């Protein structure tokens, strides 16, 4: 169903239909934001990634290979932008640190909701906090795979397509990422 809508919108956007492109943005902006936020742990940077992703999609629409899923292509662009940003700056943002511009708010209160109630959003479980911190501390090559697999629910094949790597490499990175998380989480759980 989504694939049909995606295909129709992509074809219209390729012909220069601005409304179709706007619908593509609507369809993917939240997914890209969540992906970028999980990778970068920073609301402003995630917003920048969303804008940059759609700018690149718009500029390179003519290069889109219609034989592949549009979602794979857009995730690849967003993930690569996040990885580039992670490589450029090494300091990490702690979700526990108070935000400079948001008095009294820490990183957890800035995590976008998935239709959570204000109460549940404010009271993210300690377990989730520990898991988010552990994922945040992963090296970029494992972090991107773990986020795409467990937070974006992509299959190993989809991750392979997004990252342009063989499925065997993705399997290995998921396995090593899980081991890394297990070692980090065991003492805390």
């Amino acid at each position: 169903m989504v694939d049909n809508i995606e295909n129709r919108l992509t074809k219209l956007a390729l012909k220069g239909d601005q409304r179709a492109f706007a619908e593509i943005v609507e369809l993917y902006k939240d997914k890209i934001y969540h992906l970028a936020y999980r990778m970068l742990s920073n609301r402003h940077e995630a917003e920048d990634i969303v804008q940059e992703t759609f700018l690149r999609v718009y500029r390179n629409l003519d290069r889109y290979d219609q034989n592949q899923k549009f979602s794979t292509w857009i995730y690849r662009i967003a993930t690569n932008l996040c990885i580039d940003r992670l490589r450029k700056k090494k300091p990490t943002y702690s979700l526990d640190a108070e935000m400079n511009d948001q008095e009294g708010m820490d990183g957890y209160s800035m995590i976008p909701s998935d239709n959570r109630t204000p109460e549940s959003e404010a009271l993210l479980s300690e377990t989730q906090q520990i898991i988010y911190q552990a994922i945040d501390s992963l090296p970029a090559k494992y972090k991107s795979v773990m986020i795409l697999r467990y937070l974006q629910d992509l299959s190993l094949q989809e991750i392979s397509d997004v990252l342009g790597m063989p499925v065997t490499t993705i399997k290995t990175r998921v396995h090593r990422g899980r081991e890394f998380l297990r070692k980090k989480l065991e003492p805390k759980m």
Side-chain angles (χ1 to χ4, degrees), residues 114-128:
D114 300 316
N115 296 325
R116 292 187 184 108
T117 63
E119 294 81 18
S120 67
E121 194 172 320
L123 299 170
L124 273 177
S125 74
E126 196 175 316
T127 305
Q128 281 178 304

Side-chain angles (χ1 to χ4, degrees), residues 161-175:
D161 295 341
V162 166
L163 297 177
M165 295 176 185
V167 173
T168 52
T169 303
I170 301 302
K171 280 183 187 173
T172 302
R173 288 190 180 182
V174 165
H175 177 73

Side-chain angles (χ1 to χ4, degrees), residues 124-142:
L124 273 177
S125 74
E126 196 175 316
T127 305
Q128 281 178 304
Q129 294 175 13
I130 292 167
I131 292 168
Y132 286 153
Q133 285 175 325
I135 289 173
D136 204 35
S137 70
L138 287 171
K141 68 180 184 176
Y142 300 125

Side-chain angles (χ1 to χ4, degrees), residues 37-149:
Y37 187 87
R38 297 285 191 235
M39 297 260 317
L40 303 170
S41 302
N42 180 291
R43 186 174 51 115
H44 299 294
E45 291 204 2
E47 288 166 358
D48 286 350
I49 294 294
V50 171
Q51 288 183 344
E52 182 63 26
T53 299
F54 286 113
L55 197 61
R56 292 213 180 167
V57 166
Y58 187 77
R59 276 199 224 126
N60 297 301
L61 211 50
D62 57 324
R63 292 190 196 156
Y64 166 62
D65 174 3
Q66 292 184 39
N67 295 321
Q68 67 173 296
K69 286 174 70 174
F70 186 80
S71 58
T72 300
W73 187 61
I74 200 166
Y75 273 128
R76 180 183 303 145
I77 292 169
T79 304
N80 286 338
L81 287 168
C82 288
I83 290 169
D84 287 348
R85 191 145 315 188
L86 284 170
R87 281 189 191 128
K88 283 180 188 158
K89 66 163 186 46
K90 272 294 165 209
T92 58
Y93 294 90
S94 168
L95 289 173
D96 290 316
E98 277 200 8
M99 305 291 206
N100 297 336
D101 59 338
Q102 305 285 331
E103 200 161 300
M105 293 180 81
D106 62 17
Y108 294 106
S109 59
M110 306 303 279
I111 293 174
S113 76
D114 300 316
N115 296 325
R116 292 187 184 108
T117 63
E119 294 81 18
S120 67
E121 194 172 320
L123 299 170
L124 273 177
S125 74
E126 196 175 316
T127 305
Q128 281 178 304
Q129 294 175 13
I130 292 167
I131 292 168
Y132 286 153
Q133 285 175 325
I135 289 173
D136 204 35
S137 70
L138 287 171
K141 68 180 184 176
Y142 300 125
K143 187 176 185 178
S144 57
V145 169
M146 297 304 278
I147 289 169
L148 290 169
R149 181 76 182 106

